[in-house]
Amino acid sequence: MAQISDDCFAFGGQMRPIDETAALIASKLSAVEEVETVPLLLADGRVLAKKMVASLPLPPFTNSAVDGYAVRGADLPQTVETAFAVAGRVQAGMAANEPVRPGQTVRIFTGAPMPDGVDTVFMQEDVSIDGSGRILLPPGLKKGANVRPAGEDVALGEAVLPAGHRMRPQDIALAAALGFTELQVRRRIRVAVFSTGDEIVAPGDMRGPAQLFDSNRFMLTAMLARLCCDITDLGILVDDSRLIAEKLSEAALSHDLILTSGGVSTGEADCVKAAVESAGTLVFWRVAIKPGRPVAMGVIDGTPLIGLPGNPVASFVTFAHIARPAILALAGALQPPPTPIAMRAAFSYSKKQGRREYVRASVRAAADGCYEATKFPREGAGLLSSLVATDGLVELGEEIVRVEPGHTVQFLPYSSLM
Ligand code: AMP
Ligand code: MG
């Protein structure tokens, strides 16, 4: 496992700004070094261990973009329709026939290689045939029209994807087009996940009158799976800091990250904080973010721990803004910042200065055709239905204290946070 020092996150202040938190995490966690080879079909979401270089131009050969008739550029009709004899036929997958001579045309189909000599293709819809079977080509077509030159998409030797890139379906398509059958990727990050709380029971177990079913562990596991983590589900721990400390120490031995939810506030039953302090080092636990302020970061025997708050919405938001960057750093992934979409607010809202807030919002088209963000009507950090009913989060920066309808706000779709 990657090892980090106990005090690497040390911080003396009160509430840590979210950007500072994310930058600190990214700078302190180093990527796993092990590399493995995966078949291309299993590469979705994996992190490239080295840059991908084109060992082939794309397209690999010059070919026709349409079904039609190919001619030499020098023969193109300038002012009047001109008749050409058909000298041959070339279909996709066939080798190009012998060179086309001046004044001749060749029947050609989409994807077929261009024979030597010709460089321009007339679409079949634009030509006609005379009584003796000759093809009448209209004037006005530009030399090179309807042809896809070799290498126009990707040049031979071009670096198409950088090391650290997380493979998406379109990247896998590009790799396949270049002839790759497998890729070298960083190994998956091993993450141990716990829920905590005397009141939390697993769905399917007996639920007492003052208990609720664990939703966080399922949400977090699904988010971790999207980040291609190897997940160890360690269930639910009761609020007993000695027991939690034992479990954390055990998990630290064989994981790259420990992720917990619940038990990081200041209440007496908030045992995760105390457990981290006894099993390792607690490094910060208050981040200037709403929802989600209490977030614990710790190091246990060299393994980082992130303790998310128990309220499901707070857990979701802090996963997206703190745990996700940490996981991507451990995975060796490049992290282009999520690009918010500027949008008109259709709500009013007041907030405290000095804290970043994320407002659950839906997007709708207004009467003028512009898109606007509407706020979920209630604010509780425990309202799971608010995450289900909305499309993303409006990000309100530390300096903002008031939003009015018509203001421009920054919207982050949920898809950009997973
Ligand atoms: P805590 O952070 O432990 O103080 O918990 C805050 C709130 O989140 C409490 O109402 C908990 O019951 C609730 N909660 C904690 N853990 C979970 C969980 N795994 N699933 C659903 N709700 C939870
Ligand atoms: Mg609790």
Side-chain angles (χ1 to χ4, degrees), residues 49-64:
K50 53 178 199 175
K51 70 179 172 188
M52 186 186 291
V53 176
S55 53
L56 191 73
L58 290 180
F61 54 92
T62 300
N63 67 94
S64 177

Side-chain angles (χ1 to χ4, degrees), residues 18 216 219-220 223 260-262 264-265 289-295 306-323 358 360 379-384 386-387 393:
I18 182 71
N216 289 346
M219 174 177 73
L220 298 174
M223 306 237 262
T260 66
S261 76
V264 289
S265 293
I289 181 174
K290 185 182 172 187
R293 185 182 59 189
V295 178
I306 297 177
L308 304 176
N311 275 308
V313 180
S315 224
F316 180 89
V317 169
T318 49
F319 180 91
H321 290 97
I322 294 175
Y358 291 96
R360 286 145 273 172
E379 273 144 47
L383 302 174
L384 259 180
S386 66
L387 287 178
L393 302 172

Side-chain angles (χ1 to χ4, degrees), residues 9 25 29 44 55 67-68 99 117 138-139 142 172 181 197 200 205 216 244 281 284 341 354 358-359 365 378 405:
F9 299 107
I25 290 171
L29 299 182
D44 190 31
S55 53
D67 293 342
K142 279 222 297 258
I172 293 174
T181 57
I200 308 298
D205 284 357
N216 289 346
I244 297 178
T281 313
F284 69 78
I341 303 165
Y358 291 96
V359 172
R378 287 168 297 143

Side-chain angles (χ1 to χ4, degrees), residues 196-199 239 262-263 269-270:
T196 67
D198 292 344
E199 78 283 28
D239 288 318
D270 289 315

Side-chain angles (χ1 to χ4, degrees), residues 340-361:
I341 303 165
M343 205 175 281
R344 194 163 68 202
F347 62 89
S348 49
Y349 186 69
S350 295
K351 69 177 270 295
K352 276 193 191 147
Q353 197 164 23
R355 185 163 79 177
R356 176 91 55 91
E357 285 202 27
Y358 291 96
V359 172
R360 286 145 273 172

